[in-house]
Amino acid sequence: MTKEELARKEKERLTNEFQHKLKTTEEERQTWESRYKTSTAQREILDAAIKNQAFDPEQIEAFLSPKSRVVEVMDDAGNPTGNFTTKVKINTTGKDGKPVTLDVSVEEAVKNMRETPDRFGNLFKDLSSGGTGGTGGNGPKGPLDVTKLSPEQYRAQRQQILSRS
């Protein structure tokens, strides 16, 4: 082989070796980035669930993880800060009563879940009232004394009970 052919073969070998190392490095980078983002989101969700007194924080994590993503925090000028946080897309009801999708922090998402006991009350401590004869939860303790209610309060209480049925 001539010197040019040897040089061309060596160049091809080095190019192929470089491409292989580059591909391997890129795959490793993506793997570690994915692991970092997953563990960061899980940790934030578990911390918020514990803070908001979830019975089983892993249930909250299983519910919110598919809806979450890790994003870089921006400063007031819109420049990246180098810090990361987790954002969650949640479906809730807006002030006008219409359904709305919000992109909120994990803390706000878990707080929203806790404040929606009709959907998520079974996931948190002290949110749901007990069953027949029960006194648990945040509901009224003991039987309601209707003799102490005004006629307006009685009608409102009666309407509330009938609307649940």
Side-chain angles (χ1 to χ4, degrees):
M1 290 190 183
T2 64
K3 284 184 178 182
E4 289 94 22
E5 289 174 338
L6 289 173
R8 184 177 45 80
K9 278 196 167 204
E10 182 65 15
K11 180 182 175 187
E12 284 178 21
R13 185 187 67 76
L14 291 173
T15 301
N16 288 339
E17 186 178 311
F18 172 75
Q19 291 297 330
H20 176 72
K21 285 183 180 179
L22 181 64
K23 181 181 176 187
T24 302
T25 303
E26 181 63 24
E27 288 171 354
E28 287 177 9
R29 184 199 63 81
Q30 288 175 348
T31 298
W32 284 106
E33 180 180 359
S34 174
R35 287 180 183 174
Y36 169 77
K37 287 181 175 182
T38 300
S39 68
T40 299
Q42 286 176 337
R43 181 78 248 156
E44 284 188 45
I45 293 168
L46 290 172
D47 287 347
I50 291 167
K51 181 179 178 185
N52 284 283
Q53 299 179 341
F55 278 118
D56 186 358
E58 289 178 358
Q59 288 179 327
I60 306 295
E61 190 266 326
F63 183 78
L64 291 180
S65 282
K67 301 176 181 191
S68 66
R69 69 194 190 298
V70 175
V71 296
E72 190 166 10
V73 177
M74 301 293 181
D75 63 13
D76 294 336
N79 300 321
T81 62
N83 296 322
F84 292 86
T85 189
T86 304
K87 292 288 188 174
V88 181
K89 287 193 183 283
I90 60 169
N91 297 319
T92 188
T93 305
K95 293 179 182 178
D96 57 0
K98 295 181 181 177
V100 63
T101 300
L102 300 175
D103 194 23
V104 297
S105 70
V106 172
E107 182 67 33
E108 291 170 351
V110 175
K111 184 179 177 193
N112 180 277
M113 289 174 69
R114 182 170 177 79
E115 292 172 351
T116 315
D118 56 320
R119 287 186 64 200
F120 304 111
N122 63 318
L123 299 174
F124 298 93
K125 297 175 184 171
D126 296 326
L127 278 185
S128 57
S129 57
T132 304
T135 58
N138 290 338
K141 305 296 182 212
L144 180 64
D145 187 2
V146 294
T147 61
K148 294 182 181 178
L149 297 178
S150 70
E152 294 82 22
Q153 290 173 324
Y154 176 81
R155 281 192 286 276
Q157 180 68 23
R158 177 91 173 131
Q159 185 62 37
Q160 183 181 10
I161 292 170
L162 291 175
S163 66
R164 288 186 204 157
S165 305

